[in-house]
Amino acid sequence: MLLTTDEGGMALRLARGAIAYAIGKKPKPVLALTPVFNDKRGVFVTLTKSGQLRGCIGFPYPVMPLGDAIEDAAVAAATGDPRFPPVRKDELSTIALEVTILTVPIPLDVEPCQRPEKIEVGKHGLIIRGRGTSGLLLPQVATEYCWDSQTFLDHTCIKAGLSEHCWMTPNVEVLTFEGQIFTEQE
């Protein structure tokens, strides 16, 4: 079930409020959340600063209610992404948020050589699993970098810490999902 534009705004306010509370010790906003925020959903929260990635963490699978998942992912993106130092209180006003609500990932059950033709760039996000590791790239990553589906697969392999073309082997699993994206204006 898709969120409405108003619910997307609530998701962004929820994420922003959780970060402001965790870092700036500001009170959390009181929001009249709709029932969709009680549904278990996967979600990622992405932080950018001047158009550059500043943190991105989430839950690919629906393991907790959406409202809780948004808050947890937002705080983790701001304070726990190992690629970046934690967001500082004085940075809060310069950070833009993006919340991506995910569908449940499903295995791409085709022969490895057919995988690129089954992936719609701009629609599908990818998870690559194999050799004891996994990597995920959100749907918007491929369009931001103007990748075709094969390049998208290669970069998801790299994100998983695997060799670039590992998606061509049958013992590596490829899953697709879709995302509904809500973005603050920078």
Side-chain angles (χ1 to χ4, degrees):
M1 178 172 70
L2 294 177
L3 275 67
T4 66
T5 303
D6 286 346
E7 289 168 334
M10 284 182 203
L12 288 165
R13 287 192 298 282
L14 196 61
R16 170 75 58 192
I19 294 170
Y21 176 77
I23 295 173
K25 302 302 178 206
K26 296 189 185 273
K28 287 186 181 180
V30 178
L31 301 172
L33 298 177
T34 60
V36 73
F37 289 92
N38 294 321
D39 295 345
K40 289 185 178 181
R41 302 283 295 271
V43 65
F44 270 76
V45 176
T46 304
L47 311 179
T48 55
K49 182 175 179 180
S50 303
Q52 298 299 309
L53 184 64
R54 184 63 177 82
C56 182
I57 293 201
F59 303 98
Y61 293 94
V63 295
M64 69 179 76
L66 179 58
D68 295 339
I70 290 169
E71 289 184 322
D72 288 1
V75 172
T79 64
D81 188 327
R83 300 170 291 180
F84 304 96
V87 171
R88 298 178 320 274
K89 185 177 178 180
D90 65 329
E91 268 186 295
L92 285 177
S93 63
T94 66
I95 301 287
L97 276 69
E98 180 177 89
V99 175
T100 305
I101 312 298
L102 308 184
T103 62
V104 177
I106 53 170
L108 193 57
D109 286 328
V110 296
E111 291 298 316
C113 64
Q114 296 174 317
R115 289 172 172 168
E117 64 196 57
K118 298 296 181 185
I119 295 166
E120 281 186 58
V121 171
K123 177 181 179 181
H124 291 131
L126 297 178
I127 297 173
I128 301 264
R129 289 197 303 217
R131 303 180 190 141
T133 187
S134 68
L136 178 149
L137 288 175
L138 295 171
Q140 55 269 43
V141 173
T143 54
E144 287 170 10
Y145 290 99
C146 300
W147 291 339
D148 61 18
S149 59
Q150 191 168 331
T151 305
F152 193 20
L153 282 160
D154 287 342
H155 280 276
T156 310
C157 291
I158 293 166
K159 180 84 184 274
L162 299 168
S163 63
E164 195 172 79
H165 304 298
C166 73
W167 58 266
M168 292 186 205
T169 60
N171 63 340
V172 170
E173 186 179 24
V174 177
L175 298 95
T176 62
F177 60 90
E178 296 177 29
Q180 188 180 11
I181 305 161
F182 299 99
T183 307
E184 287 182 340
Q185 299 305 313
E186 276 196 85

